[in-house]
Amino acid sequence: MKKTNAGKLTVFAAAALSVAMLLGACGGASTANNNNNAAGNKAGITEEPAAGVDTSYTGALPMPKVDKRYDNPQPRENIKDGGTYTFSLSDMGPNWNYASNDGNTAYMGTLWGFYQPSLPYYDTVKGEKVKYNPDYITSVKKVSDKPLVVQYNLNPKAKWNDGTDIDYTAFKATWEVMNGKNEAYSVPSHEGYDCIESVEQGATPKQVIVKYDKPCATWEMLFAPLVHPKAVDPTVFNQGWVNNPHNEWGAGPFEIQSATEDQVVFVRNPKWWGKKAKLDKVVVKRMEDTAAMNAFQNGEIDSVDSISTKDKIKAARSVKGAQLRYGYSTKIRVINLNAKAGAFKDKAVRKAVAQAFDVATYNKIQFQGMNWKSEQPGSELLSMFQAGYKNNLPADGKFNVENAKKTLEAAGYKMGKDGYYAKNGKTVQFSFTFFGDDSTQAALANAFQAMMKKAGMKCKTVNKPASKFSKTVTSFDFQVLPMAWVSQSPLSFLASASQLYGSKSDSNFTGTGNKKIDALLAKVGKIYDYKEQTALSNKAESMALAEYGTLPVSAPPTYQAYKKGFANGGPAGYANVFVENIGWQK
């Protein structure tokens, strides 16, 4: 769903994936970098600077590097004290509980990053090593391997905004909510938590002892997000955060001053015990794609990342005193087919859709004029540049219109005089739902519709406001849905395998799956060898993709634009940014 602003400033290294709609494309900035920009106006830039490309440069944009940050990374001492940062999100709720399935969107992850605990994190683009935020965890010790026992020593100063100590009770509450024993909780994934035998107090309430009764490869990424002990009632957990951010259950550098469905204002949290936030205020506005670009051009917001076409890149580069920051995202764009709805209850129809889908043409439209070459990924779990990646797409699902027709005919469908297949008097028809006012998304919807017509399947397009995305997804109010999965960790696949493909997962938005796939998925996070983990993930995903409930489409870039001088904001791979360190460069 997002680096459409999603996650660009968060410090979450959550094990699960976050979902995002398709709106956006999704060292330091030294004097040398600025000189490179200046020289580029004459000779052309051969490498994107860490602070991005100044909009005064009008030449061709060089390709970014996979292992480089383009967020103008700056140490705290280079950032001014004070100031406001204003940006936009296309969706802000309604469920504010990022730990719940309904609230687990990349947009909410961005908001939670300002006022909620952020424990594990990565400080490099590739995310080689998990680290822990010292404002919450002072040390982590593996007490034993068999059984696995982990000891967390928590920061003595750490408290929730309501005055409750952040201690072992928060870890225990998180485990109880996430472990899957109580099906009343709707959560994105049980992975890792279902390996834990107990969570208890150690020598003091500020010491947590977590004992496992099964091997757990994801143990370092657990307890992110962290659940307040007062939020464990299932009804409160699932629905008690709807239109209610529960500032009193927060614990971060910022607190919420005000929140409506259209705007959230964060200010410094006077109860924060860590380093004071550099910014006085952060304002987040809900805006559709076109409105956000207009607002950036007019100086109403300080950044925009809904830049998904050459026209929008051109618009962003027309803004004086700004920088275009672009790089590889940790996002996979997909198309989901709701197997519980209408014609898609028949696997043959889903397979025919896959065969009728011309992904090369679709991606040409998606990346028109952006000079971005993206082959169709064969996985929704691992990025194509990650070790262990494998193309798991079924061989018989490749684009071939005639094969799509044969698939339908073999399943008993007959072509009618109207040019569409039907069976038992019912025409093969479904809807393609897309969001917002972005012209590229409308063009993609129309292209998909035309592709289906060629194969004898009737498809109508449905356009909804971007604000309806989360509700549409979690209520399964769609048939064909373009969206994206955003990975916050290079090891996200260990948890997201079950999250995406588990037959009982609340985040399996396809409604497909079976016990054989579930059995394989249950093993993925229980082994420690990376090669075995990826091999098992690939095997399970191959079986899942053969159910034709989801189609990986592209691995997109992320293009963002910032007013010049904003530090620690922009594409950075898996590197997380502490929100108290974002702000305006001195």
Side-chain angles (χ1 to χ4, degrees):
M1 248 189 237
K2 188 173 169 165
K3 212 126 178 161
T4 305
N5 255 325
K8 69 178 179 181
L9 297 176
T10 66
V11 70
F12 286 113
L17 295 181
S18 298
V19 64
M21 79 182 81
L22 302 187
L23 289 182
C26 257
S30 63
T31 303
N33 283 336
N34 293 331
N35 287 339
N36 282 341
N37 270 343
N41 286 310
K42 297 178 181 179
I45 297 174
T46 58
E47 182 176 333
E48 180 184 356
V53 177
D54 284 1
T55 52
S56 58
Y57 170 69
T58 58
L61 298 173
M63 282 291 288
K65 295 184 177 180
V66 174
D67 59 348
K68 296 293 184 181
R69 296 178 64 160
Y70 299 104
D71 61 341
N72 189 19
Q74 297 291 332
R76 278 180 62 87
E77 56 267 27
N78 286 2
I79 300 176
K80 298 175 183 177
D81 289 316
T84 299
Y85 170 53
T86 303
F87 69 102
S88 69
L89 290 174
S90 54
D91 194 8
M92 297 198 299
N95 194 326
W96 274 78
N97 187 2
Y98 181 62
S100 73
N101 187 61
D102 285 1
N104 185 240
T105 68
Y107 313 103
M108 192 50 63
T110 297
L111 297 174
W112 262 47
F114 288 101
Y115 83 113
Q116 289 286 348
S118 304
L119 276 58
Y121 73 99
Y122 296 93
D123 60 0
T124 62
V125 172
K126 292 187 177 180
E128 291 90 348
K129 183 177 175 58
V130 176
K131 295 187 176 182
Y132 296 93
N133 188 338
D135 287 323
Y136 302 97
I137 298 178
T138 55
S139 66
V140 176
K141 177 183 178 182
K142 190 190 289 186
V143 178
S144 69
D145 284 312
K146 294 183 179 180
L148 176 62
V149 178
V150 182
Q151 174 183 304
Y152 297 85
N153 293 313
L154 308 184
N155 191 318
K157 298 179 180 179
K159 291 180 181 290
W160 300 96
N161 288 342
D162 65 2
T164 304
D165 269 338
I166 296 180
D167 59 17
Y168 82 97
T169 60
F171 281 66
K172 192 165 188 174
T174 304
W175 168 56
E176 290 174 347
V177 165
M178 298 289 188
N179 62 25
K181 292 180 180 179
N182 187 342
E183 295 184 357
Y185 294 110
S186 178
V187 297
S189 174
H190 306 305
E191 180 60 50
Y193 298 102
D194 58 355
C195 302
I196 296 174
E197 178 181 322
S198 63
V199 178
E200 302 294 344
Q201 173 183 320
T204 71
K206 285 286 188 175
Q207 186 176 86
V208 189
I209 305 297
V210 181
K211 184 177 180 180
Y212 294 76
D213 57 10
K214 299 182 187 71
C216 181
T218 57
W219 72 267
E220 291 180 294
M221 297 185 292
L222 300 184
F223 305 104
L226 199 64
V227 176
H228 194 297
K230 294 180 182 177
V232 296
D233 176 84
T235 302
V236 173
F237 181 84
N238 294 335
Q239 296 298 322
W241 295 70
V242 174
N243 298 320
N244 186 352
H246 283 290
N247 190 67
E248 76 280 9
W249 292 345
F254 290 89
E255 66 175 1
I256 295 174
Q257 184 183 68
S258 61
T260 68
E261 63 178 11
D262 295 316
Q263 178 173 288
V264 180
V265 178
F266 295 97
V267 294
R268 288 187 181 124
N269 185 357
K271 298 177 181 178
W272 175 242
W273 57 92
K275 294 177 181 177
K276 185 175 72 171
K278 285 292 184 176
L279 290 167
D280 293 320
K281 184 183 293 186
V282 176
V283 179
V284 189
K285 298 176 179 288
R286 185 205 296 274
M287 288 185 176
E288 296 277 350
D289 186 40
T290 301
M293 180 59 73
N294 291 338
F296 182 68
Q297 290 180 300
N298 295 333
E300 298 170 28
I301 59 177
D302 300 315
S303 69
V304 62
D305 70 352
S306 51
I307 304 176
S308 55
T309 65
K310 68 174 182 179
D311 290 337
K312 287 184 172 59
I313 292 174
K314 183 178 179 180
R317 295 180 75 180
S318 71
V319 178
K320 293 182 179 179
Q323 294 168 320
L324 186 68
R325 300 174 184 176
Y326 58 99
Y328 289 84
S329 72
T330 61
K331 179 195 301 181
I332 297 292
R333 286 181 172 173
V334 306
I335 285 179
N336 280 346
L337 310 180
N338 184 355
K340 296 181 179 180
F344 290 146
K345 293 177 182 179
D346 188 344
K347 180 179 174 179
V349 177
R350 303 197 303 270
K351 181 177 179 179
V353 168
Q355 293 170 319
F357 179 52
D358 183 356
V359 68
T361 296
Y362 191 88
N363 282 335
K364 282 181 182 178
I365 296 170
Q366 190 163 230
F367 300 120
Q368 185 179 13
M370 296 177 70
N371 193 32
W372 191 270
K373 298 176 177 64
S374 175
E375 62 182 87
Q376 181 184 17
S379 175
E380 297 177 17
L381 299 176
L382 289 162
S383 297
M384 288 186 283
F385 56 80
Q386 283 187 261
Y389 166 82
K390 182 183 176 184
N391 188 329
N392 296 317
L393 289 168
D396 59 355
K398 293 180 180 179
F399 169 58
N400 188 308
V401 175
E402 291 308 310
N403 283 350
K405 292 179 178 179
K406 290 177 182 178
T407 295
L408 291 172
E409 290 166 2
Y413 294 87
K414 295 183 179 180
M415 178 67 79
K417 293 180 180 179
D418 60 355
Y420 296 107
Y421 281 99
K423 181 176 169 180
N424 299 327
K426 291 185 178 180
T427 300
V428 177
Q429 57 184 338
F430 40 81
S431 59
F432 182 103
T433 301
F434 67 105
F435 301 85
D437 56 5
D438 181 81
S439 59
T440 297
Q441 299 310 314
L444 290 171
N446 291 333
F448 186 90
Q449 182 184 51
M451 294 171 193
M452 297 302 108
K453 185 176 182 179
K454 287 181 180 179
M457 293 178 284
K458 183 181 289 187
C459 177
K460 71 174 183 178
T461 62
V462 177
N463 182 221
K464 293 185 178 183
S467 59
K468 301 295 183 183
F469 175 76
S470 297
K471 184 177 181 181
T472 299
V473 176
T474 56
S475 63
F476 280 77
D477 185 22
F478 64 88
Q479 291 180 316
V480 182
L481 182 77
M483 52 171 266
W485 289 107
V486 180
S487 170
Q488 306 288 2
S489 160
L491 296 179
S492 286
F493 74 93
L494 294 173
S496 59
S498 293
Q499 181 189 2
L500 270 63
Y501 301 126
S503 63
K504 296 182 179 180
S505 169
D506 289 336
S507 293
N508 181 345
F509 298 122
T510 71
T512 60
N514 56 54
K515 291 182 179 180
K516 289 185 178 180
I517 296 173
D518 290 345
L520 282 175
L521 295 173
K523 298 177 182 178
V524 174
K526 310 298 187 293
I527 51 180
Y528 293 106
D529 182 81
Y530 184 82
K531 288 185 178 180
E532 291 183 33
Q533 291 167 348
T534 54
L536 206 56
S537 295
N538 286 324
K539 184 177 181 180
E541 185 171 50
S542 293
M543 295 171 63
L545 293 180
E547 293 297 312
Y548 295 102
T550 184
L551 305 170
V553 175
S554 65
T558 177
Y559 280 82
Q560 302 170 7
Y562 286 79
K563 285 184 180 177
K564 191 171 182 179
F566 190 78
N568 300 323
Y574 287 114
N576 304 119
V577 176
F578 291 114
V579 292
E580 60 266 36
N581 296 336
I582 68 173
W584 299 97
Q585 191 174 343
K586 291 179 180 177

